[in-house]
Amino acid sequence: MRHFPPRRIVCLTEETVETLYLLGEQDRIVGVSGYAVRPPQVRREKPRVSAFVSADIPKILALEPELVLAFSDLQAGIVADLVRAGVDVHVFNQRDIAGILAMIRTLGALVGAAEPAEVLAHGLERRLAEIAATPRPSARPKVYFEEWDDPLISGIGWVSELIEIAGGEDVFPELRHRQAAKDRIVSAEAVREAVPDVILASWCGKRVVPARIRARDCWNEIPAVRDDRIVEIKSPIILQPGPAALTDGLDAIVTALWGEHSSLIPSLRA
């Protein structure tokens, strides 16, 4: 980087965009992912330069970034092209709540905003702890989170953890540490045998169709289907490993699990 902190940053995923806005460092952002929607004004304030596994490299280079922020091995091809072009890149790889909080603190340090980042991360930690400690009105419901519908893919690490914090029981907790989606594929039979009380679905960028879930062979026997407890959670608030998942995403899970009783959780009103 020619300057510290970097004055021109391109964000190839949404969570770093949201974090920089929350830290008051949004003026450093000169380009964003096309999936960036938080906060809403980012869509009119910042040029879009990438999808998720593809990017407009000439457009990025024309913005003269001093730092590009990327996420995971899925963006390795983009990163390689940028590094060959002489651009500094930092690749985050957070897959659980601890990793999300570390990302916030690390990003704060990278932009010279370590203190505000610590305040943000600590506030999120405190909120998570308060929600986790809140007494529930009944036993923990069993929850199946569906990240994709064909093949069936269960929730990644931070999603599984948030289900537990919200007061639910993930029916496939053993899969939470498997980073690749292909390693979290489950069978329709396995879901039936897990007898979830609630099905949460977020089909990674496309609209969830509950009727398709209800129509699966023998799924009418599943309590969640029988009792009409199939709930979509929008991808931007749960499948992005950043502040959105720990705030609006968690709130959506709590509401889906507890409905009218979710008002008993004071942190939702914070």
Side-chain angles (χ1 to χ4, degrees):
M1 291 184 291
R2 293 189 297 276
H3 304 94
F4 181 83
R7 297 186 298 193
R8 301 180 64 80
I9 298 175
V10 167
C11 301
L12 300 182
T13 53
E14 183 176 14
E15 64 278 354
T16 51
V17 174
E18 181 180 18
T19 301
L20 287 170
Y21 268 87
L22 289 171
L23 296 178
E25 300 293 335
Q26 65 270 17
D27 288 348
R28 300 182 187 278
I29 302 173
V30 295
V32 300
S33 160
Y35 292 105
V37 295
R38 293 172 64 93
Q41 63 265 34
V42 70
R43 304 200 71 165
R44 63 176 183 271
E45 291 180 350
K46 308 296 181 181
R48 286 172 280 180
V49 299
S50 69
F52 188 64
V53 295
S54 63
D56 187 332
I57 301 298
K59 189 172 184 179
I60 292 174
L61 297 178
L63 293 170
E64 300 183 339
E66 295 176 334
L67 178 64
V68 173
L69 301 173
F71 173 72
S72 86
D73 57 297
L74 296 174
Q75 294 191 325
I78 303 172
V79 167
D81 288 342
L82 292 171
V83 170
R84 292 189 190 102
V87 178
D88 285 1
V89 182
H90 185 96
V91 184
F92 289 102
N93 207 20
Q94 70 276 17
R95 309 290 180 128
D96 54 20
I97 290 175
I100 292 172
L101 295 167
M103 177 275 292
I104 292 170
R105 291 181 166 106
T106 301
L107 182 52
L110 284 171
V111 299
E115 185 174 343
E118 179 59 35
V119 171
L120 174 59
H122 182 69
L124 291 169
E125 286 174 323
R126 184 175 61 249
R127 185 175 188 272
L128 294 172
E130 289 175 355
I131 292 176
T134 301
R136 312 297 169 179
S138 59
R140 288 177 173 266
K142 297 171 69 175
V143 181
Y144 164 55
F145 186 95
E146 186 168 287
E147 187 177 304
W148 193 247
D149 63 324
D150 185 20
L152 305 184
I153 297 176
S154 67
I156 198 168
W158 70 84
V159 175
S160 179
E161 291 177 307
L162 289 173
I163 287 169
E164 293 186 353
I165 289 172
E169 176 187 343
D170 181 6
V171 297
F172 297 116
E174 70 279 5
L175 301 182
R176 71 169 59 169
H177 300 299
R178 300 184 185 181
Q179 296 187 9
K182 64 181 178 61
D183 295 327
R184 288 180 278 111
I185 294 174
V186 297
S187 67
E189 181 181 2
V191 178
R192 290 198 305 267
E193 291 176 352
V195 290
D197 301 298
V198 181
I199 294 175
L200 304 179
S202 186
W203 289 351
C204 201
K206 70 176 182 179
R207 184 173 62 89
V208 170
V209 183
R212 293 183 189 172
I213 297 175
R214 288 192 292 267
R216 292 171 186 165
D217 189 33
C218 296
W219 275 41
N220 60 310
E221 303 168 1
I222 296 174
V225 176
R226 182 190 65 219
D227 299 335
D228 196 25
R229 299 194 68 186
I230 302 171
V231 180
E232 178 180 14
I233 298 182
K234 299 296 184 182
S235 299
I237 66 169
I238 194 62
L239 296 184
Q240 301 288 345
L246 307 189
T247 53
D248 291 355
L250 175 56
D251 291 358
I253 295 174
V254 171
T255 300
L257 300 191
W258 302 107
E260 62 188 34
H261 297 293
S262 62
S263 62
L264 298 175
I265 300 178
S267 295
L268 285 179
R269 298 195 297 271

